[in-house]
Amino acid sequence: MGEKRTAVELFQSALYKTNAAVIATEDLVLVVDPCWLPGEVERIRAHAEAIRNGRPVYLLFTHSDFDHILGWGAFPGASVIASESFAAKPGNEREKILEEIRAFDDGYYLDRDYPIAYPDVDHVISGDGAVLEIGGTRLVFYQSPGHNPDGLFTVVEPLGVWIAGDYLSDVEFPFIHADSRQYEESLAKVEPILGRHRVNLLIPGHGACTSDVDEIRRRRDRDIAYITRLRESVRAGDQAAIDALIDGYAYPRNMRDYHRKNQERIRGELGL
């Protein structure tokens, strides 16, 4: 990754260890999920502009959660890449996401020098294995619903950078905002992706990045086990077993809230 005009610069927010990235190749500058605080977004924008050197800027959104899209307005003129489900989101759902941004900014007296709006998508990605080629750079995509309905895995070639969105975190168990079966299906794509691509760096939405393929598999296995055991424990009505599933996770007060939401979602999926 030290080749001329090639770089991966990571920006981890002070909030929720949320990862943004600026990935430069010979052909483009790719900005991923610029977030959270206004000063953090500005640092990302300034870095992308400083290294641009005439290359086009592309903005990749891994999914539509408000914390991942709130920086869009800071990059006017950038070409936006997102999943088909992201682009097709109905107006009422878009407005709900925008209201989450407004409520966050109001809650902390935050001012932004760019408009808050839902991103317009220039490159709509459908299916698994879709490829967007810009010069010698290939972006290969895999749909990843489950966390929410419109997730997208992206592998940047030839760098071997896998942008995973809100999956495969070392700090979070699965946060299931859409469907647990879909979440499992997205995790089932880990091995095929590792088989098709030489992954040199995994960038999750939250937590530590890793270049260790065995660590990627460990995160996958842990997350599958969490969903399986949660489903079994909910079906059995074993609250003690449910509560024990997040023993050892950091930030327990926050994690308990998301864990309870997962429990209720799976109860609904099971019709209980």
Side-chain angles (χ1 to χ4, degrees):
M1 295 181 193
E3 299 168 19
K4 184 181 179 182
R5 290 169 53 86
T6 302
V8 179
E9 190 75 20
L10 298 171
F11 296 83
Q12 188 173 88
S13 173
L15 302 180
Y16 299 100
K17 300 187 186 294
T18 312
N19 292 317
V22 177
I23 301 171
T25 75
E26 291 285 346
D27 312 290
L28 59 87
V29 174
L30 180 68
V31 179
V32 181
D33 289 353
C35 61
W36 262 85
L37 300 170
E40 294 174 333
V41 174
E42 172 55 25
R43 284 192 290 275
I44 296 166
R45 187 208 63 77
H47 176 73
E49 187 61 30
I51 67 168
R52 182 178 182 181
N53 195 22
R55 288 172 286 186
V57 175
Y58 288 77
L59 199 54
L60 171 67
F61 291 110
T62 61
H63 60 297
S64 64
D65 284 354
F66 86 92
D67 52 321
H68 291 260
I69 71 161
L70 54 72
W72 175 54
F75 296 85
S79 296
V80 172
I81 305 167
S83 72
E84 182 176 30
S85 298
F86 182 110
K89 192 171 291 293
N92 63 321
E93 294 184 25
R94 294 184 180 203
E95 180 56 31
K96 181 180 178 182
I97 293 168
L98 296 178
E99 186 58 26
E100 289 180 291
I101 299 173
R102 298 181 194 112
F104 173 77
D105 284 356
D106 285 359
Y108 294 98
Y109 299 175
L110 298 177
D111 298 310
R112 299 181 190 271
D113 61 0
Y114 55 85
I116 297 301
Y118 190 87
D120 295 325
V121 182
D122 301 290
H123 299 277
V124 177
I125 308 302
S126 304
D128 285 343
V131 176
L132 178 61
E133 293 191 71
I134 303 102
T137 303
R138 298 176 79 248
L139 306 179
V140 187
F141 304 99
Y142 303 87
Q143 306 299 312
S144 59
H147 167 70
N148 83 352
D150 54 35
L152 191 67
F153 292 151
T154 304
V155 180
V156 182
E157 298 289 11
L159 298 181
V161 176
W162 178 2
I163 303 159
D166 281 6
Y167 291 85
L168 302 170
S169 171
D170 67 323
V171 73
E172 296 176 346
F173 50 83
F175 288 5
I176 308 167
H177 301 328
D179 182 272
S180 68
R181 295 293 183 188
Q182 287 183 338
Y183 203 112
E184 290 172 310
E185 290 168 2
S186 292
L187 290 173
K189 298 178 184 182
V190 168
E191 203 59 41
I193 290 172
L194 292 177
R196 293 170 191 153
H197 305 274
R198 180 174 179 176
V199 174
N200 296 312
L201 180 67
L202 173 83
I203 304 176
H206 303 266
C209 302
T210 183
S211 57
D212 184 343
V213 172
D214 289 336
E215 170 64 12
I216 295 172
R217 291 189 172 108
R218 281 192 292 270
R219 295 183 188 186
R220 183 266 320 272
D221 293 346
R222 181 207 60 192
D223 289 351
I224 290 173
Y226 168 86
I227 296 172
T228 300
R229 291 169 186 163
L230 179 58
R231 189 180 292 120
E232 291 170 349
S233 299
V234 168
R235 187 180 284 115
D238 188 343
Q239 190 62 47
I242 292 169
D243 293 342
L245 285 175
I246 61 168
D247 286 349
Y249 279 93
Y251 319 109
R253 292 159 187 80
N254 186 62
M255 294 301 176
R256 281 195 296 267
D257 182 52
Y258 283 104
H259 185 49
R260 283 193 294 267
K261 290 175 181 177
N262 284 349
Q263 177 182 347
E264 292 309 308
R265 181 167 296 281
I266 286 180
R267 281 180 59 84
E269 291 174 5
L270 294 174
L272 298 176

